[in-house]
């Protein structure tokens, strides 16, 4: 089934409701779907669980969602940076919950959700506070921790180009978490710089097949 093509970012995110779990692509600002995040801010949804590489930067995008206390929990790898002041304030006030996940584990937990894998053992975090309360095993003499997949209601991601069946290509490192987030979410909402007709993308270079894409909105000038 072809994806829905929204007329605006606001229309694209209009189905996101209070309490949803939302994956947000991006590594720092690279590949962060800023227009979709702004539209999420405007739509009014609150009590969100957000999964992202970090906990927002400066005064834009995810940081504003946290500033406005719209995020009840964040799952990320890098919660503290020099410009993560809105997260710092919310966390110190006890107004946001943090689940800290090593970056490799974060990527694999997302990938596992999209692949239908019920869990996996990894040595990352074994013997640390991150393993508390989790099943552990010794395999071939080495300690491992059982990690669970991260499923989500929605994914907000940015791609460079989509065709009319929803196939996606990305711009260089702006790709980052986009493909695995699209597969892990029940609904993937994608902002792109350009929509081309079906056949306008070489099948050999498609990164995210259209089967994983539910909504596309074309927003010019979003190449970063």
């Amino acid at each position: 089934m072809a994806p829905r093509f929204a007329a605006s970012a606001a229309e694209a995110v209009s189905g996101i409701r209070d309490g949803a779990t939302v994956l947000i692509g991006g590594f720092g600002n690279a590949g962060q779907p800023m227009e979709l995040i702004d539209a999420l801010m405007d739509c009014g949804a609150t009590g969100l669980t957000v999964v992202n590489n970090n906990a927002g930067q400066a005064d834009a995008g995810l940081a504003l969602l946290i500033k406005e206390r719209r995020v009840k929990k964040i799952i990320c790898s890098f919660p503290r940076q020099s410009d993560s002041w809105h997260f710092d304030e919310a966390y110190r006030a006890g107004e946001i919950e943090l689940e800290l996940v090593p970056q490799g584990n974060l990527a694999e937990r997302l990938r596992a959700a999209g692949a239908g894998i019920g869990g996996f053992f990894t040595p990352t975090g074994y013997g640390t506070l991150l393993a508390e309360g989790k099943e552990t095993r010794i395999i071939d003499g080495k300690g491992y921790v059982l990690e669970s997949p991260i499923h989500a209601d929605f994914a907000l991601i940015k791609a460079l180009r989509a065709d009319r069946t929803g196939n996606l290509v990305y711009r260089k490192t702006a790709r980052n978490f986009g493909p695995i987030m699209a597969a892990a979410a029940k609904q993937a909402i994608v902002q792109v710089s350009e929509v081309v007709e079906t056949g306008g993308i070489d099948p050999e270079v498609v990164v995210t097949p259209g089967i994983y894409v539910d909504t596309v909105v074309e927003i010019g000038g979003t190449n970063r």
Side-chain angles (χ1 to χ4, degrees):
M1 180 182 293
R4 176 172 68 101
F5 285 84
S8 66
E11 179 185 330
V13 304
S14 60
I16 300 179
R17 298 289 182 252
D18 294 355
T21 296
V22 183
L23 313 178
I24 299 180
F27 190 90
N29 288 326
Q32 189 172 170
M34 299 298 289
E35 287 79 6
L36 289 178
I37 299 172
D38 289 345
L40 179 59
M41 171 75 74
D42 294 339
C43 86
T46 190
L48 302 172
T49 295
V50 170
V51 183
N52 187 254
N53 178 64
N54 58 41
Q57 296 172 273
D59 297 300
L62 174 57
L64 289 183
L65 283 175
I66 294 173
K67 176 185 178 183
E68 298 300 321
R69 302 302 190 263
R70 305 280 282 280
V71 181
K72 72 172 183 180
K73 178 179 180 179
I74 187 155
I75 302 172
C76 71
S77 298
F78 297 96
R80 297 203 64 196
Q81 301 177 126
S82 61
D83 57 356
S84 60
W85 44 75
H86 292 305
F87 169 78
D88 281 355
E89 180 181 347
Y91 187 73
R92 291 177 189 278
E95 296 173 342
I96 190 170
E97 180 183 350
L98 169 66
E99 181 178 341
L100 185 64
V101 183
Q103 191 171 77
N105 285 4
L106 183 68
E108 186 64 7
R109 289 178 66 187
L110 290 166
R111 192 196 70 81
I117 296 171
F120 60 92
F121 283 96
T122 173
T124 305
Y126 181 82
T128 73
L129 292 175
L130 295 177
E132 286 190 354
K134 298 179 181 179
E135 180 181 342
T136 60
R137 289 189 186 181
I138 302 298
I139 302 173
D140 292 333
K142 188 173 184 178
Y144 289 81
V145 182
L146 178 64
E147 294 286 353
S148 59
I150 298 176
H151 297 279
D153 301 301
F154 299 92
L156 304 183
I157 62 177
K158 178 193 285 188
L160 175 63
R161 186 175 296 113
D163 67 15
R164 289 290 171 183
T165 54
N167 296 311
L168 305 177
V169 292
Y170 300 81
R171 183 178 184 272
K172 301 180 180 179
T173 57
R175 165 178 174 172
N176 50 73
F177 290 94
I180 54 176
M181 285 186 169
K186 293 177 182 176
Q187 294 189 49
I189 302 170
V190 186
Q191 69 174 72
V192 298
S193 297
E194 180 185 19
V195 176
V196 299
E197 294 304 315
T198 300
I201 298 176
D202 181 351
E204 294 295 330
V205 301
V206 168
V207 178
T208 297
I211 192 171
Y212 294 118
V213 176
D214 298 278
T215 302
V216 175
V217 59
E218 184 175 7
I219 299 173
T222 62
N223 286 340
R224 186 173 181 181

